Amino acid sequence: MPRPSRPTRPATSHSASADMEELRPNYFLVRENRARHILKGEGKLDEKTFTLTTWRRDGLLARLRDNGFTVYTLEDRVDALPGLPPPLPIGPEVTRPVNNIERISYFDMLALTWVPVDAVAVEGQKQVTLRAGWLIRRRKGRGEASFYKVFAERTGGAGLTATDETTALMLGYAQARRKRPPLVVQPHGEGWLLPDLELPPPHRSLMERLAERRDGGWYVDNRVADLAGEVYAKLGLELVER
């Protein structure tokens, strides 16, 4: 079962400036040609990339660093993920008018995804009922989504404070941390199938390196199951085996 299994540590370098950068499990971009002599015999070395094929990963990384080369690994990417902020308190119901092309969704703390809010007509004006403290996503027609924190105005209306997708989702996961049960994961072939949730962009980008979408979830093989579990743990999520 995937679970955090190592202490976190500061990343050894920034990805863009590293001599070697791990793009996918055991597949590296090599920016510093002087490192190539250490890589020989450890895997497949192409013009700009290296694929590790031996079992000596930890020893190879240690030798590279001992020789002054900076290596940015997938472990470093996990360690660099942001932590959860303090959660916003959930307040009273508030209402907000919407037009015909406006679609509002809120972050559901149990489903861990955006759930549409139905608009109702009140005296000829469509409106939605929200809660102060909610994180919402708004779309107008086919335009790009925008994200907001909801607050209660003195009039009882819903005020909106603009934010970005990462902040909105991180705040949503912070609220969900103490309210939802553990997530169920399933053994799947030579790895695991993790739930495909609405992840913040940094976490989603990293899961795209670690896993592949399959059968309605993220498939991770056993080599990186622990790391994928750490990505979820960064969001306050506990994984349990079915």
Side-chain angles (χ1 to χ4, degrees):
M1 181 176 61
R3 65 186 65 178
S5 61
R6 63 179 179 86
T8 58
R9 57 183 175 81
T12 57
S13 69
H14 296 292
S15 61
S17 61
D19 297 324
M20 288 180 54
E21 178 183 354
E22 190 171 17
L23 304 179
R24 297 189 299 277
N26 292 329
Y27 179 76
F28 296 81
L29 173 66
V30 181
R31 295 192 178 94
E32 178 51 73
N33 287 330
R34 292 180 302 146
R36 298 172 71 87
H37 74 280
I38 299 178
L39 303 176
K40 289 181 179 179
E42 299 288 353
K44 182 180 178 182
L45 186 58
D46 293 325
E47 183 178 353
K48 293 184 178 180
T49 62
F50 168 71
T51 303
L52 176 66
T53 58
T54 70
W55 55 269
R56 297 185 291 268
R57 175 186 171 94
D58 290 344
L60 175 61
L61 295 178
R63 281 194 288 130
L64 286 163
R65 288 165 173 152
D66 287 345
N67 280 270
F69 298 109
T70 55
V71 186
Y72 195 84
T73 65
L74 293 174
E75 289 89 346
D76 292 323
R77 291 184 183 278
V78 172
D79 292 345
L81 289 173
L84 290 178
L88 298 175
I90 302 299
E93 289 189 347
V94 287
T95 59
R96 183 173 181 84
V98 294
N99 58 42
N100 289 332
I101 65 169
E102 193 173 4
R103 300 292 182 267
I104 302 290
S105 300
Y106 75 101
F107 186 76
D108 188 295
M109 289 181 281
L110 293 179
L112 301 178
T113 191
W114 299 108
V115 174
V117 180
D118 293 330
V120 297
V122 178
E123 297 180 355
Q125 169 66 60
K126 285 188 175 182
Q127 67 177 33
V128 292
T129 299
L130 310 173
R131 295 286 297 270
W134 272 8
L135 291 309
I136 67 167
R137 181 183 68 184
R138 180 170 68 174
R139 290 187 185 276
K140 292 185 177 181
R142 297 182 179 179
E144 292 186 2
S146 52
F147 301 86
Y148 302 88
K149 295 178 283 186
V150 179
F151 66 90
E153 296 178 326
R154 292 182 178 180
T155 59
L160 303 181
T161 301
T163 188
D164 57 79
E165 182 181 9
T166 296
T167 301
L169 285 169
M170 295 294 287
L171 286 167
Y173 275 95
Q175 291 174 331
R177 187 170 192 171
R178 297 181 180 178
K179 294 184 178 295
R180 62 154 295 112
L183 293 172
V184 174
V185 299
Q186 307 172 42
H188 196 86
E190 296 299 317
W192 297 85
L193 192 67
L194 277 60
D196 185 7
L197 309 175
E198 192 74 46
L199 300 177
H203 303 70
R204 184 166 65 237
S205 176
L206 183 48
M207 285 300 296
E208 288 170 351
R209 294 178 183 270
L210 292 170
E212 61 181 86
R213 294 183 188 273
R214 186 188 298 180
D215 299 331
W218 289 105
Y219 171 75
V220 295
D221 67 33
N222 288 323
R223 296 176 302 162
V224 293
D226 287 342
L227 276 184
E230 288 186 42
V231 175
Y232 280 62
K234 286 277 191 172
L235 296 171
L237 301 176
E238 179 185 357
L239 304 179
V240 296
E241 182 182 354
R242 171 174 291 178

